[in-house]
């Protein structure tokens, strides 16, 4: 984990937030490579679960919502962590994490447990006195329920269908830790899938298969994944059933995504609290009802962390060590590096021109500094799946070599065939070329 955190900082994937001021606990910044990785991941998710399906639509709602939303959702009453303080070292712990934390290290006596609401408060309005107190949303899904009617009437969706949303959520975590696994500001990718009550188990099972497959399709090794079924006694107040996909991080198994059957809880609650009827009229049944909701709820940051952990490898090649990030080509921040074998004899100019031309098809990187072998290693370390080398033969017959990151095999191909070759393997959407 230490090696990975250091690579992330050194190469520009992830930085500590506000580090020049000493840092902010639980907040992270995605650097130049990290932002591309995360964008690719989110695009992959959006394409898979929204655009390529005919039973899903999207939403991008505001982070700040009416304070009553959080009363209706149960967050004001229920969104609590139980805290204990160490009387000796004054450190604060989540009671349900005490075992994993193996603490307090000082062996001090613990205080009585007490509840702590994890929502971050803020004030909307121009003055301290008249401002309205509300919260930064602790999950993205509530706006999906609140906007349910608007989505239904503005589109032609018919049950069964789902609404997806990705965006920032905030939780005042007691102990943010394990790099970006548990932070105070993070991104979620959530789906609320509405169906008839008698079909809720069917849809639960279908979503279970779909989300599992997605992790495999973004390149996560299956042996690093498992399901965890929440026992009935520990289910959240809204849930009829919850199972989590867990990933085996270097620090142990951790939740990547939850899949919950929320029943009709949320739409019923918001109807009561707002006084607006959020029930659904089923034209086929000629009947009005509150649909059941199946919720696959994933964290973008935790998935990025799983992708980083899964991709990291060290190898010895011809007695030389190489660090390699084996990102799935569709997620890799840079798809291809364009490298002149040497700077002289016009090779740099040819490579530079190709790089500019190919930029519009996929993310590229130009590098002419140092021996070619070292440039390949630099690209391996940031997970670039292809290195395209412009050499003397390029001048003669308009061909280049394309080196593949994992196998290190090189194939020679005409310059004109390169874009289609790269796109075929790196594009998130199918390409027709
Ligand atoms: P945990 O038990 O780890 O605190 P949770 O069960 O409270 O998580 P959910 O409310 O189900 O999490 O949120 C859905 C997803 O959002 C989680 O599976 C996770 O990927 C992500 N998530 C939740 N809290 C955080 C956090 N503090 N930092 C990063 N991601 C988070």
């Amino acid at each position: 984990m230490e090696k990975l955190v250091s690579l992330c900082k050194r190469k520009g994937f992830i930085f500590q937030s506000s580090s020049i001021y000493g840092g902010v606990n639980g907040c992270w910044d995605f650097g130049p490579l990290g932002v591309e990785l995360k964008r690719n991941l989110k695009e992959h998710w959006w394409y898979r679960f929204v655009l390529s399906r005919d039973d899903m639509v999207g939403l991008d709602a505001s982070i700040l919502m009416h304070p009553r939303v959080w009363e209706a959702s149960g967050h004001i009453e229920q969104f609590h962590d139980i805290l204990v303080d160490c009387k000796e070292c004054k450190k604060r712990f989540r009671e349900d994490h005490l075992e994993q934390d193996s603490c307090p290290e000082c062996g001090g006596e613990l205080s009585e447990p007490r509840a702590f609401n994890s929502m971050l408060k803020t004030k909307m309005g121009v003055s301290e006195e008249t401002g309205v107190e509300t919260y930064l949303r602790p999950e993205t899904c509530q706006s999906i329920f609140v906007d349910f009617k608007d989505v239904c009437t503005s589109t032609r969706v018919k049950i069964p269908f789902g609404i997806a949303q990705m965006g920032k959520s905030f939780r005042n975590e007691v102990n943010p830790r394990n790099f970006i696994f548990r932070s105070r500001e993070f991104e979620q990718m959530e789906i609320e899938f509405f169906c008839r009550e008698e079909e809720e188990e069917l849809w639960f099972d279908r979503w279970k298969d779909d989300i599992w497959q997605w992790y495999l399709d973004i390149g996560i090794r299956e042996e690093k994944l498992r399901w965890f079924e929440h026992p009935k006694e520990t289910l959240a107040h809204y849930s009829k059933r919850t199972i989590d996909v867990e990933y085996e991080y270097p620090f142990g198994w951790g939740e990547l995504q939850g899949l919950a059957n929320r029943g009709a809880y949320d739409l019923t609650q918001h109807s009561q609290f707002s006084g607006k009827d959020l029930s659904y009229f089923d034209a086929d049944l000629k009947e009005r009802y509150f649909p059941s909701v199946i919720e696959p709820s994933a964290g973008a940051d935790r998935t990025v962390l799983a992708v980083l952990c899964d991709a990291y490898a060290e190898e010895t090649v011809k007695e030389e060590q190489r660090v390699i990030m084996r990102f799935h080509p569709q997620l890799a921040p840079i798809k291809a590096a364009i490298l002149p074998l040497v700077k002289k004899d016009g090779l740099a100019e040819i490579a530079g021109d190709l790089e500019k031309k190919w930029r519009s098809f996929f993310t590229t990187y130009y590098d002419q500094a140092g021996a070619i072998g070292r440039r390949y290693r630099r690209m391996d370390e940031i997970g670039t799946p292809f290195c395209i080398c412009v050499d003397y033969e390029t001048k003669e017959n308009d061909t280049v070599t394309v080196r593949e990151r994992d196998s290190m095999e090189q194939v020679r191909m005409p310059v004109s065939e390169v874009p289609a070759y790269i796109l075929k393997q790196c594009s998130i959407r199918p390409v027709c070329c």
Side-chain angles (χ1 to χ4, degrees), residues 329-387:
Q330 292 175 5
L331 298 190
I334 295 168
K335 308 301 184 193
I338 326 296
L339 317 169
L341 181 66
V342 289
K343 274 184 269 188
K344 56 184 187 180
D345 302 326
L347 298 190
E349 287 73 16
I350 298 172
D353 286 348
L354 287 176
E355 193 268 327
K356 281 193 194 74
K357 196 162 128 192
W358 288 337
R359 239 182 239 180
S360 49
F361 302 124
F362 43 82
T363 356
T364 55
Y365 186 78
Y366 177 81
D367 187 5
Q368 59 173 34
I372 190 77
R374 289 196 52 197
R375 281 182 272 160
Y376 285 152
R377 298 280 178 277
R378 281 204 287 266
M379 286 299 122
D380 293 342
E381 209 181 355
I382 58 169
T384 305
F386 299 103
C387 285

Side-chain angles (χ1 to χ4, degrees), residues 186-216:
F186 54 95
E187 260 180 289
Q188 290 184 310
M189 308 187 288
E190 295 198 294
I191 292 167
E192 306 306 320
F193 195 84
F194 303 91
C195 61
R196 292 179 187 158
E197 190 182 3
E198 56 272 26
E199 291 192 339
E200 61 184 26
E201 276 161 33
L202 172 89
W203 282 105
F204 193 95
D205 290 341
R206 284 192 183 162
W207 278 106
K208 188 176 172 212
D209 292 344
D210 287 357
I211 59 185
W212 185 266
Q213 187 57 43
W214 182 66
Y215 291 111
L216 306 186

Side-chain angles (χ1 to χ4, degrees), residues 77-216:
E77 230 173 83
Q78 313 261 6
F79 200 57
H80 288 114
D81 287 326
I82 305 298
L83 297 189
V84 287
D85 291 306
C86 171
K87 291 183 182 166
E88 209 60 44
C89 65
K90 310 287 179 220
K91 276 194 191 155
R92 188 156 285 177
F93 304 99
R94 244 173 84 169
E95 201 189 26
D96 59 335
H97 285 173
L98 271 179
E99 231 169 79
Q100 304 152 30
D101 285 346
S102 59
C103 54
E105 292 141 29
C106 72
E109 195 193 332
L110 295 175
S111 69
E112 282 299 305
R114 63 198 165 81
F116 165 78
N117 194 296
S118 327
M119 283 197 294
L120 277 142
K121 258 192 202 150
T122 188
K123 246 186 180 180
M124 286 198 283
V126 286
S127 76
E128 268 296 311
E129 301 78 51
T130 59
V132 178
E133 203 162 75
T134 188
Y135 302 90
L136 301 180
R137 66 180 178 198
E139 58 184 27
T140 59
C141 67
Q142 289 307 321
S143 45
I144 297 183
F145 301 123
V146 171
D147 288 356
F148 178 72
K149 197 114 235 169
D150 281 338
V151 172
C152 288
T153 50
S154 61
T155 62
R156 295 161 61 93
V157 285
K158 275 173 76 177
I159 274 176
F161 79 95
I163 305 177
Q165 169 161 231
M166 50 172 97
K168 292 265 181 166
S169 292
F170 303 81
R171 294 183 190 178
N172 207 356
E173 293 282 354
V174 181
N175 279 325
R177 62 195 166 147
N178 291 332
F179 200 25
I180 56 171
F181 179 81
R182 184 173 302 287
S183 34
R184 291 195 168 122
E185 176 177 342
F186 54 95
E187 260 180 289
Q188 290 184 310
M189 308 187 288
E190 295 198 294
I191 292 167
E192 306 306 320
F193 195 84
F194 303 91
C195 61
R196 292 179 187 158
E197 190 182 3
E198 56 272 26
E199 291 192 339
E200 61 184 26
E201 276 161 33
L202 172 89
W203 282 105
F204 193 95
D205 290 341
R206 284 192 183 162
W207 278 106
K208 188 176 172 212
D209 292 344
D210 287 357
I211 59 185
W212 185 266
Q213 187 57 43
W214 182 66
Y215 291 111
L216 306 186

Side-chain angles (χ1 to χ4, degrees), residues 52-74:
S52 71
R53 295 177 63 120
D54 55 16
D55 57 358
M56 291 286 303
V57 291
L59 184 72
D60 183 12
S62 66
I63 287 172
L64 297 172
M65 300 181 76
H66 197 288
R68 291 271 287 164
V69 168
W70 306 112
E71 283 175 44
S73 68

